[in-house]
Amino acid sequence: MQDDWEEDYLNAPEAAESEEVSENEPSSDLDDLEASYGDYGSTHSKVNRDGIEQAGTGEVKSRKEIAKEKQAAIRKQLMEKRIPTALKPIISIDTEYEQDDENNQINVLSYQFVVSFEGKKCNGILFTESAHKKHRLSFEEFLAKVIQTALQEKVLTKWPEHVIIVAHYLKADLFTFSNAFKDIKTLVSSVRKTVASLRDGYGVDLGKEFRKRIDDTPFKLNDGSNNTYSMLITFYDSMLFAPAGYQSLKKIGELVGLAKEEIPEPYDISRMAEYLENDRDGFIKYAINDAEIACLHLEQVIQYECIENGSKYLSHTIGSLAVKAFKQTLLEQFKKKNNITDDITTKDDGYIEYQNIAFGKEKVTTEKWLTKTGSTELIPITKSNYILKDVPHIFQQLAIECYHGGRNECYITGPTEIDTWYDFDAPSCYTVILNGLRRLDFDNLKFSNKVDDFLGDVYGLLRVKFKFPDNTLYPSLPVRADPYGLLYPLEGVCFCTAAELEVANDQDAELEILQGLFIPWLDDDRIFTPFMKLVRAKRQHYKDKENGYANDFLEKFWKEKGNSCYGRLALALRPKRVFDIQSGNMKYLEQGELTNAYFSAYVSGTARALLSSLLLGVPSDKKVLALTTDGFTTNATLDEIKKDSPVCNRFKELFHMIEPDGGEILEEKHRMNQVVLMKTRGYTTSQRDDDPEWKTKYINARAGVQLPDDEDVDEENPEVWVLNKYLTRKPDTTYTNKSLTPSQMMFLFDRDMLSITKKQLLNWEPDYKRDLIPNGLITVGDKFHIQCTSKPHRTVDDMKRKRACFDVWRETNCLKTLEDWDNWDEYFKLSTSLKREGKGNHMNIRKGEDSANIFKRLFLRVWIQERCGLSIDGMRQNAMAKWISSLEGGIYHVNAAAMSSAKKGKIFYGKFPITSRVAKLLKHLVKRFPTFEYEKLFNEDSLEELRRLMKD
C-alpha cells in the first residue's frame, strides 16, 4: 500500500544508491548469494548449550556451518537450472494496514497478490485474524497459499523453481510479514529508499508449509512423502523502474494504462478497517488493484527489456538498465573500430579492456596464497581488477574538487511586477554534454597558468584566484560555501573547469591560475554519443502518434535512462556512508562501474558554464528571477537572449549531434504573469498566463515543503495554498511534514514502517546566497509584500557573516514589509559595524533602541565636544535637548542625563553604519548644522549608500 503523499518523500533528495550487481554479473560473495528459510530436511539434531549441532555422522558442526551447507546445496541445485527472467512467474504483493499510533505499530488487515505467468493471471487476498502482531502471516506461509491458489487456478501447472516477488515500494510491504526482521532483512539490499535483491536469488523452502496443508487442498503436490520443495526468489521493487516525477503508484498506473482505485468517501487511508467492515467488496477491489498495477508495470519492463530486446536477465533499477544499454552502444563502437564481425558480448575481454581504457583504467592482477580446504597445502589464487592508471589516480582529487552540483540561485525575492515571465531550460542539458566526452590522453597532460591554454574545446581542471569587476551582476566562478552549497561571489579562490574559466574570462575577470591541469583529448571518438543518439531516437519514436508508435511509458522510460547514465558517473565520488540492512552497520557507498571524477567534473562544469553564459545573454533592461540547474526564468523573450557565446555554440554542436534537425538550445517550459519567489528552489505563481496553451504550465516549486493533507488544498490550484502560507507567514508558522521510519530504525529495532507526522517551522525566508536590495512593496492579490533585488556577495566570508546574522534575526522576524527590512538592516549593521575586537561594542546598544537613537547619542558627543566641524556657538544644552526631542514627533527623546554623559563619551570615527533611519535624522542635523562633517563618523563601506540616501 502506498499513499499518494509518499511521492513527496520518495522524490526528496535521495540517499545515494547502493552499488548493484545485475543478475548476469558474477559475484564473489558466494556465501551471501542465497539465504534460506525453513526446514531443509527431515533429519533432527540435538543442539547443545554452546549452539553446536551434533550431526548424525558424529561430526561436530556449528549452526553457521550447517546453514552454509544448506545454502550451498540449494544454490547448487537451482542454479544449475537457472531460469531467464522472462520465464519466471511474477508474484506481485501488497498489504493494507492501519497505523496504530498508540502502540507505535501498524495493524495489518490483509495481504493481497497477483500471480502472472505465460499470459495467465490470478489474484487473491488473505485477511489476518486480528490486528495483533501474532496473527501476521510469515513470508513462507503467505507464499505457500499464493502458489496453491495459482496451481488451483491453472496459472501455474507445476512447482516453480524460481519466482519473482515484486511490489511498489517493496520495503513497505515486505516487512509486514511476521518473520521479516528475523530472516528477510538478510536477503535484500538497500537501494535508494527501498530494497531489492542485488544478487542472483535466494533459496526458500516451502515444503514444510505445503506438507501442513496437503490434506486440506483438493489437489496434491506430492505423494505424501517428506519431499522438500525449494525455489529461488528474486525481489524487485517496481518503483525503481519508475521515471522521475512518476514514482507514485497513481502516476505509474496512468503510464501503464491501469488507473489506481480511489478510496471512496467518507473513508481514507487512516480508516481502512472501517472501509473493510462496511464495504468488503470495495476494499478488496481497491487492495488488489495496487498489486495489479505493480505487476503490470514490471511485466511491461520485462516485455520490453527481455522479450523485445533480448536481455536474458533483468537488472533491478532503471539506472542499471541505462548502464547496460550504454555498454551495448560502446560495444558496437568497439566492433566497428576494430572491424569485428563476430557476435561478441560485453563480457568479451577485448571489449572490457576497451571500455576501461576509455575510463582511464588498466588491468592489475594480484596473487594470494591460501590454504587448501581440508589441507595445509598452500595454493595460489589470482584475481584481476581494473583500476585507475597511475597518472589519473594521482590527479583524481583535483577532478573531485572541480566536480560540483548545478548552479542554483534566486535573484529576486518576493513578488514580481505583472509582466510575461518565461521559464526556459536547456533541453537534455546534462545528457547533451555527455557527447563532448572523449578519451583523455593522460600521458601528455601538462600544467599551465596561461588562460589561453584553457579556451575552446579543451579539457582542463583549475584552481583559480579571481576578481570580477564591481558592477558584475552574475559572476560565473563557483566557490563551495559549506554548508550553504555553491556560491558565486565577486572574488575568491575556486576549483573550476576550463569552460567556466572561459566564461569568466569573457567577463573581464582578473584571473590568476594557481594550478591548472590541461589534458588533451586522445582522439575524437565520442564515448557517449551513440548511447545519447539511441536515447533521443527512442524518445522520438515513442512520441510518434501519427504512425501509431506513441507509448508514454517507454518515452519517459528512455528519458530516465539517459538521465541516469550521467548520474552513474558521479556515484560515490565523495565518501558517503549509508546504512547496510544486512549487517545492521553503516558502510561507505561503493563506486560504480562508470564512476569517473574527470568525466563528472567536465559535465557538471560545462552545464554551469552554459547557464552562466546564457545569463550574460539576457538584455540589461530585462530581469532574471531565478536559475535552477539547467534553466532560468526571465521576462526576456527567446529571441532577445543572446546564445552565440563560445560555450553556447559548443553546446549547440553537441545538441545537434543527437538532434540532426537542429533547434534552439533553449526551450520554453512555463509561462506566467506574476511570480512570487521565496528562496532558491522556492517560487510559485500568483497569476497564471491567460493563453490556454500556458494556463496549466506554471511554476509551483515549494523548496521542500509538502502540501498538507490536513488542510484545504485545491488540487487544481495548489499554488493558492503556497501563496497564502507565504504571504501570511509569521516567525512561528509551521507546516505538516511527513516522513517514514528510517531503515536504520526499522532494521535495528524491528520496528514497523510508520508515517511520522510532525510540525516543522516554515523556512521560506531568503537564503542570502546573494546580497538583498529592497525594491519597494508589490501588490499580490489583495496583499502587499516587499520585493528585493540582489547583487553578488563580494566574498564567501561576507555571505556567511550575513547569513549567520539573518538566521538569528529570522527566529523572531519575517521579511515581509519595508519596516521589516529596516529592522533587519539595522540588526545586521549594528551587530557587525559597532562590534569591537574582542568583546563588546564601540557603543552600548540599549534594548529596544534603534540605529537613529544610537546615532543621536554619538552626535551629542560630537556636538558637545565640538568635533567634526561642529561648534556649540552659544547654544545651551537644554536648548539642544529640546530641539532634538521635537523632531519627527518626539521619536529622538533627549534628557539631561544624556547631555551630561555626552561630555565624557568617547567618539568613534569610521565605525557607524548607515541606515534609512539614521539618514532621516541626519538630514535634520545637516540642515541645522551645515558645517557638520558627518562622513567621518561612518564606516567606509557605507559612504556610497550614505551619499545616495542623503540625496533622496
Side-chain angles (χ1 to χ4, degrees), residues 803-836:
R803 172 65 186 264
C805 282
F806 189 74
D807 284 345
V808 175
W809 180 83
R810 70 180 177 87
E811 290 179 2
T812 54
N813 297 273
C814 291
L815 189 56
K816 296 167 63 177
T817 66
L818 292 174
E819 183 178 2
D820 292 333
W821 174 265
D822 289 341
N823 291 336
W824 152 240
D825 191 45
E826 287 198 353
Y827 176 86
F828 172 71
K829 290 176 176 177
L830 294 177
S831 298
T832 54
S833 297
L834 296 183
K835 197 170 186 65
R836 188 168 49 196

Short mmCIF file of all heavy atoms in Angstrom, two decimals, residues 803-836:
data_model
loop_
_atom_site.label_atom_id
_atom_site.label_comp_id
_atom_site.label_asym_id
_atom_site.label_seq_id
_atom_site.Cartn_x
_atom_site.Cartn_y
_atom_site.Cartn_z
N ARG A 803 24.54 35.70 6.47
CA ARG A 803 23.60 34.60 6.64
C ARG A 803 23.49 34.21 8.12
O ARG A 803 22.39 33.93 8.62
CB ARG A 803 24.06 33.40 5.81
CG ARG A 803 23.28 32.11 6.05
CD ARG A 803 21.83 32.20 5.63
NE ARG A 803 21.12 30.98 6.01
CZ ARG A 803 20.91 29.95 5.18
NH1 ARG A 803 21.34 30.00 3.92
NH2 ARG A 803 20.27 28.88 5.60
N ALA A 804 24.61 34.19 8.84
CA ALA A 804 24.57 33.84 10.25
C ALA A 804 23.72 34.84 11.04
O ALA A 804 22.92 34.46 11.90
CB ALA A 804 25.98 33.78 10.82
N CYS A 805 23.87 36.13 10.73
CA CYS A 805 23.06 37.16 11.40
C CYS A 805 21.59 37.02 11.04
O CYS A 805 20.70 37.14 11.89
CB CYS A 805 23.57 38.55 11.03
SG CYS A 805 25.06 39.06 11.89
N PHE A 806 21.33 36.76 9.76
CA PHE A 806 19.94 36.66 9.30
C PHE A 806 19.25 35.45 9.94
O PHE A 806 18.06 35.52 10.28
CB PHE A 806 19.89 36.56 7.78
CG PHE A 806 18.50 36.66 7.22
CD1 PHE A 806 17.84 37.88 7.19
CD2 PHE A 806 17.85 35.54 6.73
CE1 PHE A 806 16.54 37.98 6.68
CE2 PHE A 806 16.56 35.62 6.22
CZ PHE A 806 15.91 36.85 6.21
N ASP A 807 19.98 34.36 10.10
CA ASP A 807 19.39 33.18 10.73
C ASP A 807 18.95 33.47 12.16
O ASP A 807 17.93 32.94 12.63
CB ASP A 807 20.38 32.01 10.71
CG ASP A 807 20.49 31.36 9.34
OD1 ASP A 807 19.61 31.62 8.50
OD2 ASP A 807 21.46 30.62 9.11
N VAL A 808 19.71 34.30 12.86
CA VAL A 808 19.32 34.68 14.22
C VAL A 808 18.13 35.63 14.17
O VAL A 808 17.15 35.47 14.92
CB VAL A 808 20.51 35.33 14.97
CG1 VAL A 808 20.06 35.84 16.34
CG2 VAL A 808 21.64 34.33 15.12
N TRP A 809 18.18 36.61 13.28
CA TRP A 809 17.11 37.61 13.19
C TRP A 809 15.77 36.98 12.82
O TRP A 809 14.74 37.32 13.39
CB TRP A 809 17.50 38.67 12.15
CG TRP A 809 16.47 39.76 11.98
CD1 TRP A 809 16.31 40.87 12.75
CD2 TRP A 809 15.45 39.81 10.98
NE1 TRP A 809 15.27 41.64 12.30
CE2 TRP A 809 14.71 41.01 11.20
CE3 TRP A 809 15.08 38.99 9.92
CZ2 TRP A 809 13.65 41.38 10.40
CZ3 TRP A 809 14.01 39.37 9.12
CH2 TRP A 809 13.29 40.54 9.36
N ARG A 810 15.78 36.03 11.90
CA ARG A 810 14.51 35.47 11.43
C ARG A 810 13.87 34.52 12.44
O ARG A 810 12.75 34.08 12.24
CB ARG A 810 14.70 34.76 10.09
CG ARG A 810 15.50 33.47 10.14
CD ARG A 810 15.62 32.88 8.73
NE ARG A 810 16.44 31.69 8.70
CZ ARG A 810 15.98 30.46 8.93
NH1 ARG A 810 14.70 30.28 9.21
NH2 ARG A 810 16.79 29.42 8.88
N GLU A 811 14.56 34.22 13.52
CA GLU A 811 13.92 33.41 14.56
C GLU A 811 12.72 34.13 15.17
O GLU A 811 11.77 33.49 15.62
CB GLU A 811 14.94 33.06 15.65
CG GLU A 811 16.00 32.07 15.21
CD GLU A 811 17.00 31.77 16.31
OE1 GLU A 811 16.83 32.34 17.43
OE2 GLU A 811 17.95 31.02 16.07
N THR A 812 12.76 35.46 15.16
CA THR A 812 11.65 36.24 15.74
C THR A 812 11.09 37.25 14.75
O THR A 812 10.32 38.13 15.13
CB THR A 812 12.14 36.97 17.00
OG1 THR A 812 13.31 37.76 16.68
CG2 THR A 812 12.48 35.99 18.12
N ASN A 813 11.47 37.15 13.48
CA ASN A 813 11.03 38.12 12.48
C ASN A 813 10.80 37.44 11.13
O ASN A 813 11.34 36.37 10.86
CB ASN A 813 12.08 39.23 12.29
CG ASN A 813 12.32 40.04 13.54
OD1 ASN A 813 11.63 41.02 13.80
ND2 ASN A 813 13.31 39.64 14.32
N CYS A 814 10.02 38.11 10.28
CA CYS A 814 9.86 37.73 8.87
C CYS A 814 10.13 38.95 8.01
O CYS A 814 9.85 40.08 8.41
CB CYS A 814 8.44 37.24 8.59
SG CYS A 814 8.04 35.67 9.36
N LEU A 815 10.67 38.74 6.82
CA LEU A 815 10.97 39.84 5.90
C LEU A 815 9.80 40.00 4.94
O LEU A 815 9.77 39.41 3.86
CB LEU A 815 12.27 39.55 5.15
CG LEU A 815 12.85 40.69 4.31
CD1 LEU A 815 13.07 41.94 5.15
CD2 LEU A 815 14.15 40.26 3.66
N LYS A 816 8.80 40.81 5.34
CA LYS A 816 7.58 40.97 4.55
C LYS A 816 7.30 42.42 4.14
O LYS A 816 6.67 42.66 3.12
CB LYS A 816 6.38 40.44 5.33
CG LYS A 816 6.46 38.95 5.62
CD LYS A 816 5.44 38.49 6.67
CE LYS A 816 4.04 38.71 6.20
NZ LYS A 816 3.05 38.20 7.19
N THR A 817 7.73 43.38 4.94
CA THR A 817 7.42 44.79 4.70
C THR A 817 8.69 45.62 4.70
O THR A 817 9.77 45.14 5.07
CB THR A 817 6.47 45.32 5.79
OG1 THR A 817 7.18 45.32 7.05
CG2 THR A 817 5.22 44.45 5.92
N LEU A 818 8.55 46.90 4.31
CA LEU A 818 9.71 47.81 4.35
C LEU A 818 10.17 48.04 5.78
O LEU A 818 11.37 48.22 6.04
CB LEU A 818 9.34 49.13 3.68
CG LEU A 818 9.10 49.06 2.16
CD1 LEU A 818 8.61 50.39 1.62
CD2 LEU A 818 10.37 48.62 1.43
N GLU A 819 9.24 48.05 6.72
CA GLU A 819 9.62 48.19 8.13
C GLU A 819 10.42 46.98 8.59
O GLU A 819 11.40 47.12 9.33
CB GLU A 819 8.37 48.34 8.99
CG GLU A 819 8.70 48.58 10.46
CD GLU A 819 7.47 48.77 11.32
OE1 GLU A 819 6.35 48.68 10.78
OE2 GLU A 819 7.63 48.99 12.52
N ASP A 820 10.02 45.78 8.10
CA ASP A 820 10.80 44.58 8.41
C ASP A 820 12.21 44.72 7.86
O ASP A 820 13.20 44.33 8.52
CB ASP A 820 10.15 43.33 7.80
CG ASP A 820 8.82 42.98 8.44
OD1 ASP A 820 8.63 43.32 9.63
OD2 ASP A 820 7.97 42.39 7.74
N TRP A 821 12.31 45.28 6.65
CA TRP A 821 13.64 45.46 6.07
C TRP A 821 14.48 46.40 6.93
O TRP A 821 15.65 46.11 7.21
CB TRP A 821 13.56 46.00 4.65
CG TRP A 821 14.94 46.32 4.14
CD1 TRP A 821 15.57 47.52 4.16
CD2 TRP A 821 15.89 45.39 3.61
NE1 TRP A 821 16.85 47.41 3.67
CE2 TRP A 821 17.07 46.11 3.33
CE3 TRP A 821 15.86 44.02 3.35
CZ2 TRP A 821 18.20 45.49 2.80
CZ3 TRP A 821 16.98 43.42 2.82
CH2 TRP A 821 18.14 44.15 2.55
N ASP A 822 13.90 47.51 7.35
CA ASP A 822 14.65 48.46 8.19
C ASP A 822 15.11 47.80 9.48
O ASP A 822 16.23 48.03 9.94
CB ASP A 822 13.77 49.68 8.51
CG ASP A 822 13.56 50.58 7.29
OD1 ASP A 822 14.36 50.47 6.33
OD2 ASP A 822 12.60 51.37 7.29
N ASN A 823 14.24 46.98 10.05
CA ASN A 823 14.61 46.30 11.29
C ASN A 823 15.77 45.32 11.06
O ASN A 823 16.71 45.25 11.86
CB ASN A 823 13.41 45.53 11.86
CG ASN A 823 12.34 46.45 12.37
OD1 ASN A 823 12.60 47.61 12.73
ND2 ASN A 823 11.10 45.97 12.41
N TRP A 824 15.70 44.56 9.96
CA TRP A 824 16.77 43.62 9.63
C TRP A 824 18.05 44.37 9.30
O TRP A 824 19.14 43.99 9.76
CB TRP A 824 16.36 42.72 8.48
CG TRP A 824 17.52 42.21 7.65
CD1 TRP A 824 17.73 42.41 6.33
CD2 TRP A 824 18.63 41.42 8.12
NE1 TRP A 824 18.89 41.80 5.93
CE2 TRP A 824 19.46 41.19 7.01
CE3 TRP A 824 18.99 40.92 9.35
CZ2 TRP A 824 20.64 40.46 7.11
CZ3 TRP A 824 20.18 40.18 9.45
CH2 TRP A 824 20.99 39.97 8.33
N ASP A 825 17.94 45.41 8.50
CA ASP A 825 19.11 46.18 8.10
C ASP A 825 19.84 46.74 9.32
O ASP A 825 21.07 46.67 9.41
CB ASP A 825 18.65 47.32 7.18
CG ASP A 825 19.81 48.01 6.49
OD1 ASP A 825 20.71 47.31 6.00
OD2 ASP A 825 19.82 49.25 6.45
N GLU A 826 19.07 47.26 10.25
CA GLU A 826 19.68 47.79 11.48
C GLU A 826 20.31 46.69 12.30
O GLU A 826 21.41 46.84 12.83
CB GLU A 826 18.61 48.50 12.32
CG GLU A 826 18.18 49.82 11.76
CD GLU A 826 17.47 50.66 12.81
OE1 GLU A 826 17.23 50.14 13.91
OE2 GLU A 826 17.20 51.83 12.55
N TYR A 827 19.59 45.58 12.42
CA TYR A 827 20.11 44.48 13.24
C TYR A 827 21.47 44.03 12.72
O TYR A 827 22.41 43.85 13.51
CB TYR A 827 19.13 43.32 13.22
CG TYR A 827 19.63 42.10 13.97
CD1 TYR A 827 19.44 41.99 15.34
CD2 TYR A 827 20.29 41.08 13.29
CE1 TYR A 827 19.91 40.88 16.04
CE2 TYR A 827 20.77 39.96 13.98
CZ TYR A 827 20.57 39.87 15.35
OH TYR A 827 21.05 38.78 16.03
N PHE A 828 21.57 43.84 11.42
CA PHE A 828 22.83 43.37 10.86
C PHE A 828 23.94 44.41 11.02
O PHE A 828 25.05 44.09 11.46
CB PHE A 828 22.66 43.02 9.38
CG PHE A 828 23.96 42.70 8.70
CD1 PHE A 828 24.63 41.53 8.99
CD2 PHE A 828 24.53 43.59 7.78
CE1 PHE A 828 25.84 41.22 8.38
CE2 PHE A 828 25.73 43.29 7.17
CZ PHE A 828 26.39 42.11 7.47
N LYS A 829 23.64 45.64 10.67
CA LYS A 829 24.68 46.67 10.68
C LYS A 829 25.14 46.99 12.10
O LYS A 829 26.34 47.19 12.34
CB LYS A 829 24.18 47.92 9.97
CG LYS A 829 24.04 47.71 8.47
CD LYS A 829 23.45 48.91 7.77
CE LYS A 829 23.41 48.70 6.26
NZ LYS A 829 22.75 49.83 5.56
N LEU A 830 24.21 47.04 13.02
CA LEU A 830 24.60 47.30 14.40
C LEU A 830 25.35 46.11 15.00
O LEU A 830 26.24 46.29 15.83
CB LEU A 830 23.37 47.62 15.25
CG LEU A 830 22.64 48.92 14.89
CD1 LEU A 830 21.41 49.07 15.75
CD2 LEU A 830 23.56 50.12 15.06
N SER A 831 24.99 44.89 14.56
CA SER A 831 25.64 43.70 15.09
C SER A 831 27.06 43.54 14.58
O SER A 831 27.87 42.86 15.21
CB SER A 831 24.84 42.44 14.71
OG SER A 831 23.56 42.49 15.25
N THR A 832 27.34 44.15 13.44
CA THR A 832 28.67 43.97 12.83
C THR A 832 29.53 45.22 12.87
O THR A 832 30.68 45.18 13.28
CB THR A 832 28.52 43.50 11.37
OG1 THR A 832 27.67 44.40 10.65
CG2 THR A 832 27.90 42.11 11.33
N SER A 833 28.96 46.36 12.48
CA SER A 833 29.78 47.58 12.36
C SER A 833 30.25 48.11 13.71
O SER A 833 31.37 48.64 13.82
CB SER A 833 28.98 48.67 11.64
OG SER A 833 28.68 48.28 10.33
N LEU A 834 29.42 48.04 14.73
CA LEU A 834 29.79 48.58 16.03
C LEU A 834 30.49 47.57 16.92
O LEU A 834 30.86 47.88 18.06
CB LEU A 834 28.55 49.12 16.75
CG LEU A 834 27.85 50.31 16.08
CD1 LEU A 834 26.69 50.77 16.94
CD2 LEU A 834 28.83 51.45 15.84
N LYS A 835 30.68 46.35 16.40
CA LYS A 835 31.30 45.32 17.21
C LYS A 835 32.79 45.59 17.35
O LYS A 835 33.49 45.87 16.39
CB LYS A 835 31.08 43.94 16.58
CG LYS A 835 31.32 42.80 17.52
CD LYS A 835 30.85 41.51 16.90
CE LYS A 835 30.94 40.35 17.87
NZ LYS A 835 30.03 40.51 19.01
N ARG A 836 33.28 45.51 18.55
CA ARG A 836 34.68 45.80 18.82
C ARG A 836 35.46 44.50 18.83
O ARG A 836 34.92 43.43 19.17
CB ARG A 836 34.77 46.49 20.18
CG ARG A 836 36.16 47.03 20.53
CD ARG A 836 36.09 47.94 21.74
NE ARG A 836 35.34 47.31 22.83
CZ ARG A 836 34.87 47.98 23.86
NH1 ARG A 836 35.00 49.29 23.92
NH2 ARG A 836 34.23 47.35 24.83
#
